[in-house]
Amino acid sequence: MSVSVLSPTRFLGSISGLLQVASLLALVLLLLKAAQLYLLRQWLLKAVREFPSPPSHWLFGHNQEFQTDQELQQFQKWVEKFPCACPRWLWGSRVSLMVYDPDYMKVVLGRSDPKNHGSYRFLAPWIGYGLLLLNGQTWFQHRKMLTPAFHYDILKPYVVLMADSVRVMLDKWEELISQDSHLEISEHISLMTLDTIMKCAFSQKGSLQTDSKSQSYIQAIKDVKTLFISRVRNFFYQNNIIYWLTPDGRWNQRACQLAHQHTDRVIKLRKAHLQEEEELEKVRRKRNLDFLDILLFARMKNGSSLSDKDLRAEVDTFMFEGHDTTASGISWILYALATHPEHQQRCRKEIQSLLGDGASITWDHLDQMPYTTMCIKEALRLYPPVPAVGRELSKPITFPDGRSLPKG
């Protein structure tokens, strides 16, 4: 019988050899990645060569120009200098052609290019793959299924619910301005629009505007939006593994969890109500179903057509889009009117002449306020809640002035 003993020297030598091989392999992979990024950058430079833009950093792109809160003002300078469209380098190997000319937009929007996966994918852990992130046939199926939730006949009775939510908010404001003449309105408006969509689309009873759980959901949404913007701009946050290990990544996970708890609670509560025979019959007799009921009935009729994951994604998407963009729009409309008091006064007179003293607004009033409608549309033009949408070209495109871009 023989016994072999590995000496410490040989043992350390074998570890050293393994480390050398691993280091060499890592170096080769790093060089390959660098070569890949270099070739991609060269291809992108060639792709956008017909569209001039300010000088960009080879790694950080134009990010250094957009680090302050003056992004819109900076971009307006570009629009004046570069007509129709301008490349914006997010970093050295990623560029978007920013289009701001109506004739250019018609060409893009007249096609069926998929949504830009690059930035949109960062929203997936939060809102899942609902209508905002879906493409192709699945998008079409979900869109077709949900269209009845926005029919005029179902929207008309919602005006009463909306007016009720606004009254609750205004009562709070009356109380608050008796203590302080200044009021930060955006959070109050977010609670009001959340309250509205919960009643109109998710069959919620009562007001949520004083509920602490609703306030924590609003804060979670605010956090996720801020983190999304910071992630899009950060070169090192593009990789999921790296991002989830950072403080921002962990904060994002906590905020998404809070948002999901809110939507899960809404779905669970509605499912429980539909278990009651009386409520189920009442819903079945309705000519037009609410948004959430459409989803739940689709699940009940054909369980395989809409998974729990799909259902939650649509609820997360519309819970966010249905209150946050509206809250942003309303806040900026009020800001625009406040900075133009003469127009604000004309709107007030127009509405007072319609409603008199204390009458509640109805659906029929909506087309009898042309001046207010024009002011709303102009404010949305100046301060759009969603100022940009992204597309990734599935085939080459040529613009009206002859300039073009390749697929990709």
Side-chain angles (χ1 to χ4, degrees), residues 32-139:
L32 284 171
K33 188 65 180 174
Q36 183 188 26
L37 291 174
Y38 174 78
L39 291 172
L40 175 60
R41 178 169 170 78
Q42 293 307 304
W43 182 82
L44 290 170
L45 284 166
K46 187 179 176 184
V48 297
R49 69 186 181 280
E50 295 180 44
F51 300 90
S53 71
S56 64
H57 188 272
W58 68 271
L59 178 61
F60 299 114
H62 289 122
N63 273 332
Q64 288 162 314
E65 292 194 45
F66 289 95
Q67 285 303 317
T68 67
D69 61 357
Q70 298 294 303
E71 181 164 347
L72 179 61
Q73 289 84 341
Q74 179 64 38
F75 195 65
Q76 281 177 319
K77 291 176 186 174
W78 285 22
V79 170
E80 288 166 16
K81 191 172 180 181
F82 306 106
C84 302
C86 173
R88 177 177 175 179
W89 290 86
L90 295 172
W91 48 90
S93 59
R94 182 159 173 73
V95 64
S96 288
L97 184 75
M98 308 298 285
V99 172
Y100 35 81
D101 175 80
D103 293 325
Y104 265 50
M105 288 180 193
K106 282 179 190 173
V107 178
V108 177
L109 297 175
R111 296 160 42 115
S112 55
D113 298 294
K115 290 157 191 169
N116 173 15
H117 182 68
S119 301
Y120 279 49
R121 67 188 169 93
F122 297 147
L123 295 170
W126 165 25
I127 57 173
Y129 283 89
L131 273 181
L132 181 63
L133 300 190
L134 284 173
N135 279 304
Q137 191 59 30
T138 314
W139 176 88

Side-chain angles (χ1 to χ4, degrees), residues 151-162 362-364 366:
H151 192 278
Y152 269 169
D153 287 344
I154 199 169
L155 294 179
K156 286 177 184 177
Y158 288 169
V159 174
V160 176
L161 300 173
M162 292 171 185
T362 66
W363 177 271
D364 293 332
L366 298 180

Side-chain angles (χ1 to χ4, degrees), residues 209-223:
Q209 294 185 60
T210 54
D211 178 15
S212 60
K213 286 177 182 172
S214 297
Q215 289 169 340
S216 65
Y217 172 74
I218 296 287
Q219 185 57 50
I221 297 303
K222 201 173 174 182
D223 291 345

Side-chain angles (χ1 to χ4, degrees), residues 17 88 132 139 158-159 181 224 237 281 324 368-369:
R88 177 177 175 179
L132 181 63
W139 176 88
Y158 288 169
V159 174
S181 60
V224 174
Y237 282 2
E281 280 308 309
D324 187 80
Q368 297 176 48
M369 43 181 81

Side-chain angles (χ1 to χ4, degrees), residues 123 126-128 132-133 190 193-194 197-198 202 217-218 220-222 224-226 228 259 262-263 291 312-328 385-386:
L123 295 170
W126 165 25
I127 57 173
L132 181 63
L133 300 190
S190 288
T193 55
L194 179 63
I197 195 150
M198 289 291 285
F202 299 102
Y217 172 74
I218 296 287
I221 297 303
K222 201 173 174 182
V224 174
K225 288 191 300 179
T226 304
F228 169 73
H262 177 81
T263 49
F291 173 84
R312 219 273 292 273
E314 294 298 359
V315 172
D316 278 324
T317 298
F318 275 83
M319 186 79 72
F320 158 60
E321 287 192 341
H323 92 272
D324 187 80
T325 51
T326 315
S328 172
V386 181

Side-chain angles (χ1 to χ4, degrees), residues 173-185:
W173 286 7
E174 289 281 2
E175 190 179 329
L176 288 167
I177 60 169
S178 66
Q179 302 158 23
D180 186 350
S181 60
H182 295 89
L183 183 66
E184 170 50 59
I185 63 170

Side-chain angles (χ1 to χ4, degrees), residues 55 71 91 168 171 185 276 395 401:
E71 181 164 347
W91 48 90
V168 172
D171 287 345
I185 63 170
E276 299 165 16
K395 57 186 178 183
D401 58 6

